[in-house]
Amino acid sequence: ENAAIVNRIDDPICTVAGGGLSAQATIHGVHTSNGQWKLTCRGELPPGTAPDSAVVVRSTDADPIDICWTPFGVTYNWQVVFSTSGKAMITCHGDESSAHSGP
């Protein structure tokens, strides 16, 4: 009853986008027993497109930018990070008890 369900899809079917950058990524999702979920997509920017300094874009319920659409639901709570090494990651947080966890 306290276990988490972990889903992993190693095919690059997730798109990480923000700050004018975009990358294809793999999915890692976690559902907890209290109805919370977190989806993380990790990938690599195309060669030669890494930024000179890290790019971080955040969205929250209080300051929504856009919706993170996932198989688990939608949320305004997410963060995108692009590193100077070309790594790309988006992390979205949500609650299964609502249609979305935003305004």
Side-chain angles (χ1 to χ4, degrees):
E1 68 188 44
N2 290 326
I5 299 170
V6 177
N7 299 302
R8 184 179 180 118
I9 301 172
D10 289 328
D11 292 326
I13 61 172
C14 178
T15 300
V16 179
L21 299 168
S22 181
Q24 293 301 304
T26 61
I27 296 175
H28 182 243
V30 177
H31 288 88
T32 62
S33 60
N34 67 359
Q36 300 292 308
W37 57 264
K38 178 172 89 169
L39 180 123
T40 303
C41 296
R42 290 186 176 100
E44 301 269 338
L45 286 164
T49 63
D52 293 334
S53 61
V55 174
V56 178
V57 181
R58 289 185 183 93
S59 178
T60 65
D61 287 339
D63 188 17
I65 295 174
D66 202 350
I67 293 177
C68 177
W69 298 89
T70 79
F72 311 131
V74 297
T75 182
Y76 288 102
N77 294 309
W78 53 265
Q79 176 176 294
V80 171
V81 177
F82 294 100
S83 71
T84 57
S85 66
K87 303 285 185 197
M89 182 174 69
I90 184 169
T91 303
C92 306
H93 300 270
D95 185 337
E96 293 176 349
S97 66
S98 63
H100 65 79
S101 37

